[in-house]
Amino acid sequence: MANHSQFGFQDASSPIMEELVEFHDHALMVALAICSLVLYLLALMLMEKLSSNTVDAQEIELIWTILPAIVLILLALPSLQILYMMDEIDEPDLTLKAIGHQWYWSYEYTDFKDLTFDSYMIPTTELPPGHFRLLEVDHRVVIPMESHVRIIVTANDVLHSWAVPALGVKTDAIPGRLNQTSFITTRPGIFYGQCSEICGANHSYMPIVVESSPLTYFENWSSLMSS
């Protein structure tokens, strides 16, 4: 999760998030190159006198027409690749349904017969020592590590949004509509998120906690929760 005064993204814990961070760095380097070029040209214009050859040069006009198009292509191609990767859902190992309510989440493991539960934020007065305020829940979402997980998101009342930054996941929960996305956790850990759509008075009290664990632990947990 994020630290105090952190400047940047959370540590990526899924292949999609790794691609998003890499594209962010790529876009920043392009922006840095553009800013450096513009500042250099401004300084050059302030220090030297302009000539008619500079103002009327067709070669320069050709360059500043083609160069922005090349820059846009360098940004568009990796962006489109990531968009297609985020929409690709091919034979998931586990399907999870998240239903947003005012103001808690309900989860259904559709591959299991009776594995459903509600997830409420733990009040500050009942928070165990060492847990995070406004982020910890009474029932975590447990998923197997290195498995393709599909999540189907909807809402029961108003608009919500199921978002976990470390996994690169953010999907709107809309009443009467099913949205889906997928992710793969690359390491064990506990990942925190929150509802990212203003949904009422207690919008900031809808945390999401995803626990990535080895397959054997997930099997034991699912058997315990189903019984």
Side-chain angles (χ1 to χ4, degrees):
M1 63 173 295
N3 300 319
H4 293 290
S5 303
Q6 178 175 339
F7 186 75
F9 293 103
Q10 298 182 23
D11 293 338
S13 301
S14 69
I16 291 296
M17 189 59 189
E18 292 175 359
E19 292 289 338
L20 289 172
V21 173
E22 184 177 349
F23 174 70
H24 169 266
D25 297 340
H26 168 69
L28 280 185
M29 292 304 298
V30 173
L32 179 62
I34 294 174
C35 292
S36 300
L37 178 61
V38 171
L39 288 175
Y40 170 75
L41 293 177
L42 285 175
L44 194 63
M45 292 175 63
L46 291 174
M47 291 185 297
E48 295 187 4
K49 294 182 180 180
L50 294 177
S51 64
S52 59
N53 294 331
T54 304
V55 175
D56 299 331
Q58 295 182 356
E59 293 81 4
I60 295 181
E61 293 181 0
L62 187 63
I63 291 174
W64 70 43
T65 301
I66 296 178
L67 190 59
I70 297 176
V71 171
L72 290 177
I73 293 174
L74 292 176
L75 291 175
L77 291 181
S79 176
L80 290 174
Q81 180 184 10
I82 296 175
L83 284 176
Y84 278 105
M85 290 175 59
M86 295 176 68
D87 288 337
E88 185 69 24
I89 301 176
D90 184 22
E91 297 182 359
D93 301 317
L94 177 69
T95 299
L96 174 67
K97 185 177 182 180
I99 306 172
H101 305 268
Q102 287 182 315
W103 288 273
Y104 64 96
W105 293 96
S106 297
Y107 296 99
E108 300 176 5
Y109 287 76
T110 58
D111 299 304
F112 297 83
K113 186 176 181 181
D114 295 313
L115 185 48
T116 62
F117 56 86
D118 297 330
S119 180
Y120 290 87
M121 185 194 74
I122 299 179
T124 304
T125 55
E126 303 174 8
L127 194 66
H131 288 69
F132 297 105
R133 176 178 171 270
L134 302 182
L135 287 177
E136 194 57 66
V137 296
D138 55 356
H139 291 94
R140 295 174 174 174
V141 177
V142 180
I143 58 173
M145 180 182 63
E146 296 180 342
S147 297
H148 189 189
V149 179
R150 174 178 60 182
I151 177 166
I152 300 173
V153 183
T154 187
N156 192 41
D157 36 43
V158 298
L159 294 176
H160 301 278
S161 185
W162 201 86
V164 182
L167 301 178
V169 176
K170 183 181 183 296
T171 305
D172 290 338
I174 304 173
R177 179 184 176 91
L178 295 177
N179 292 330
Q180 67 175 356
T181 186
S182 65
F183 59 87
I184 301 174
T185 55
T186 55
R187 59 186 175 89
I190 300 173
F191 312 110
Y192 294 90
Q194 289 178 303
C195 176
S196 298
E197 188 74 39
I198 297 177
C199 56
N202 293 332
H203 156 68
S204 56
Y205 303 105
M206 287 184 63
I208 302 163
V209 182
V210 178
E211 182 175 350
S212 175
S213 59
L215 182 60
T216 54
Y217 178 87
F218 173 76
E219 291 175 343
N220 297 331
W221 174 85
S222 59
S223 300
L224 182 63
M225 293 291 291
S226 301
S227 59

PDB file of all heavy atoms in Angstrom, residues 19 76-86:
ATOM      1  N   GLU A  19       2.835  -3.093 -16.563  1.00  0.00           N
ATOM      2  CA  GLU A  19       2.777  -2.450 -17.878  1.00  0.00           C
ATOM      3  C   GLU A  19       2.330  -0.988 -17.755  1.00  0.00           C
ATOM      4  O   GLU A  19       2.840  -0.112 -18.465  1.00  0.00           O
ATOM      5  CB  GLU A  19       1.811  -3.216 -18.791  1.00  0.00           C
ATOM      6  CG  GLU A  19       2.283  -4.604 -19.184  1.00  0.00           C
ATOM      7  CD  GLU A  19       3.453  -4.556 -20.143  1.00  0.00           C
ATOM      8  OE1 GLU A  19       3.633  -3.528 -20.813  1.00  0.00           O
ATOM      9  OE2 GLU A  19       4.185  -5.559 -20.213  1.00  0.00           O
ATOM     10  N   ALA A  76       0.680   6.268 -28.658  1.00  0.00           N
ATOM     11  CA  ALA A  76      -0.563   5.540 -28.931  1.00  0.00           C
ATOM     12  C   ALA A  76      -0.346   4.033 -28.998  1.00  0.00           C
ATOM     13  O   ALA A  76      -1.177   3.263 -28.485  1.00  0.00           O
ATOM     14  CB  ALA A  76      -1.175   6.044 -30.241  1.00  0.00           C
ATOM     15  N   LEU A  77       0.739   3.582 -29.602  1.00  0.00           N
ATOM     16  CA  LEU A  77       0.938   2.145 -29.789  1.00  0.00           C
ATOM     17  C   LEU A  77       1.025   1.377 -28.470  1.00  0.00           C
ATOM     18  O   LEU A  77       0.293   0.396 -28.274  1.00  0.00           O
ATOM     19  CB  LEU A  77       2.180   1.901 -30.655  1.00  0.00           C
ATOM     20  CG  LEU A  77       2.048   2.321 -32.130  1.00  0.00           C
ATOM     21  CD1 LEU A  77       3.328   2.017 -32.882  1.00  0.00           C
ATOM     22  CD2 LEU A  77       0.867   1.623 -32.776  1.00  0.00           C
ATOM     23  N   PRO A  78       1.885   1.763 -27.530  1.00  0.00           N
ATOM     24  CA  PRO A  78       1.884   1.028 -26.251  1.00  0.00           C
ATOM     25  C   PRO A  78       0.593   1.204 -25.461  1.00  0.00           C
ATOM     26  O   PRO A  78       0.177   0.302 -24.733  1.00  0.00           O
ATOM     27  CB  PRO A  78       3.092   1.612 -25.506  1.00  0.00           C
ATOM     28  CG  PRO A  78       3.352   2.918 -26.147  1.00  0.00           C
ATOM     29  CD  PRO A  78       2.947   2.777 -27.577  1.00  0.00           C
ATOM     30  N   SER A  79      -0.051   2.369 -25.606  1.00  0.00           N
ATOM     31  CA  SER A  79      -1.320   2.581 -24.908  1.00  0.00           C
ATOM     32  C   SER A  79      -2.397   1.630 -25.413  1.00  0.00           C
ATOM     33  O   SER A  79      -3.125   1.015 -24.617  1.00  0.00           O
ATOM     34  CB  SER A  79      -1.766   4.031 -25.085  1.00  0.00           C
ATOM     35  OG  SER A  79      -3.029   4.235 -24.489  1.00  0.00           O
ATOM     36  N   LEU A  80      -2.501   1.470 -26.715  1.00  0.00           N
ATOM     37  CA  LEU A  80      -3.491   0.546 -27.275  1.00  0.00           C
ATOM     38  C   LEU A  80      -3.178  -0.897 -26.890  1.00  0.00           C
ATOM     39  O   LEU A  80      -4.093  -1.691 -26.630  1.00  0.00           O
ATOM     40  CB  LEU A  80      -3.520   0.694 -28.795  1.00  0.00           C
ATOM     41  CG  LEU A  80      -4.108   2.004 -29.333  1.00  0.00           C
ATOM     42  CD1 LEU A  80      -3.947   2.077 -30.834  1.00  0.00           C
ATOM     43  CD2 LEU A  80      -5.574   2.133 -28.941  1.00  0.00           C
ATOM     44  N   GLN A  81      -1.902  -1.230 -26.834  1.00  0.00           N
ATOM     45  CA  GLN A  81      -1.528  -2.592 -26.429  1.00  0.00           C
ATOM     46  C   GLN A  81      -1.995  -2.888 -25.014  1.00  0.00           C
ATOM     47  O   GLN A  81      -2.548  -3.965 -24.739  1.00  0.00           O
ATOM     48  CB  GLN A  81      -0.013  -2.762 -26.538  1.00  0.00           C
ATOM     49  CG  GLN A  81       0.464  -4.151 -26.144  1.00  0.00           C
ATOM     50  CD  GLN A  81       1.973  -4.266 -26.161  1.00  0.00           C
ATOM     51  OE1 GLN A  81       2.680  -3.277 -26.289  1.00  0.00           O
ATOM     52  NE2 GLN A  81       2.483  -5.473 -26.010  1.00  0.00           N
ATOM     53  N   ILE A  82      -1.812  -1.947 -24.098  1.00  0.00           N
ATOM     54  CA  ILE A  82      -2.237  -2.153 -22.718  1.00  0.00           C
ATOM     55  C   ILE A  82      -3.759  -2.224 -22.621  1.00  0.00           C
ATOM     56  O   ILE A  82      -4.315  -3.028 -21.862  1.00  0.00           O
ATOM     57  CB  ILE A  82      -1.684  -1.035 -21.824  1.00  0.00           C
ATOM     58  CG1 ILE A  82      -0.155  -1.100 -21.791  1.00  0.00           C
ATOM     59  CG2 ILE A  82      -2.232  -1.147 -20.406  1.00  0.00           C
ATOM     60  CD1 ILE A  82       0.487   0.038 -21.027  1.00  0.00           C
ATOM     61  N   LEU A  83      -4.459  -1.393 -23.393  1.00  0.00           N
ATOM     62  CA  LEU A  83      -5.922  -1.431 -23.381  1.00  0.00           C
ATOM     63  C   LEU A  83      -6.444  -2.801 -23.815  1.00  0.00           C
ATOM     64  O   LEU A  83      -7.368  -3.347 -23.195  1.00  0.00           O
ATOM     65  CB  LEU A  83      -6.476  -0.341 -24.294  1.00  0.00           C
ATOM     66  CG  LEU A  83      -6.421   1.094 -23.762  1.00  0.00           C
ATOM     67  CD1 LEU A  83      -6.916   2.065 -24.823  1.00  0.00           C
ATOM     68  CD2 LEU A  83      -7.262   1.237 -22.494  1.00  0.00           C
ATOM     69  N   TYR A  84      -5.860  -3.366 -24.856  1.00  0.00           N
ATOM     70  CA  TYR A  84      -6.282  -4.695 -25.293  1.00  0.00           C
ATOM     71  C   TYR A  84      -5.925  -5.756 -24.251  1.00  0.00           C
ATOM     72  O   TYR A  84      -6.687  -6.716 -24.046  1.00  0.00           O
ATOM     73  CB  TYR A  84      -5.639  -5.029 -26.638  1.00  0.00           C
ATOM     74  CG  TYR A  84      -6.369  -4.430 -27.822  1.00  0.00           C
ATOM     75  CD1 TYR A  84      -5.864  -3.325 -28.498  1.00  0.00           C
ATOM     76  CD2 TYR A  84      -7.583  -4.961 -28.256  1.00  0.00           C
ATOM     77  CE1 TYR A  84      -6.539  -2.764 -29.579  1.00  0.00           C
ATOM     78  CE2 TYR A  84      -8.265  -4.415 -29.330  1.00  0.00           C
ATOM     79  CZ  TYR A  84      -7.738  -3.318 -29.983  1.00  0.00           C
ATOM     80  OH  TYR A  84      -8.412  -2.769 -31.053  1.00  0.00           O
ATOM     81  N   MET A  85      -4.801  -5.619 -23.591  1.00  0.00           N
ATOM     82  CA  MET A  85      -4.426  -6.572 -22.545  1.00  0.00           C
ATOM     83  C   MET A  85      -5.394  -6.508 -21.369  1.00  0.00           C
ATOM     84  O   MET A  85      -5.738  -7.534 -20.779  1.00  0.00           O
ATOM     85  CB  MET A  85      -3.004  -6.283 -22.065  1.00  0.00           C
ATOM     86  CG  MET A  85      -1.923  -6.609 -23.074  1.00  0.00           C
ATOM     87  SD  MET A  85      -0.290  -6.096 -22.497  1.00  0.00           S
ATOM     88  CE  MET A  85      -0.152  -7.047 -20.985  1.00  0.00           C
ATOM     89  N   MET A  86      -5.856  -5.321 -21.015  1.00  0.00           N
ATOM     90  CA  MET A  86      -6.782  -5.170 -19.893  1.00  0.00           C
ATOM     91  C   MET A  86      -8.157  -5.743 -20.225  1.00  0.00           C
ATOM     92  O   MET A  86      -8.876  -6.209 -19.331  1.00  0.00           O
ATOM     93  CB  MET A  86      -6.902  -3.690 -19.518  1.00  0.00           C
ATOM     94  CG  MET A  86      -5.618  -3.079 -18.990  1.00  0.00           C
ATOM     95  SD  MET A  86      -5.740  -1.315 -18.649  1.00  0.00           S
ATOM     96  CE  MET A  86      -6.850  -1.321 -17.247  1.00  0.00           C
TER      97      MET A  86
END
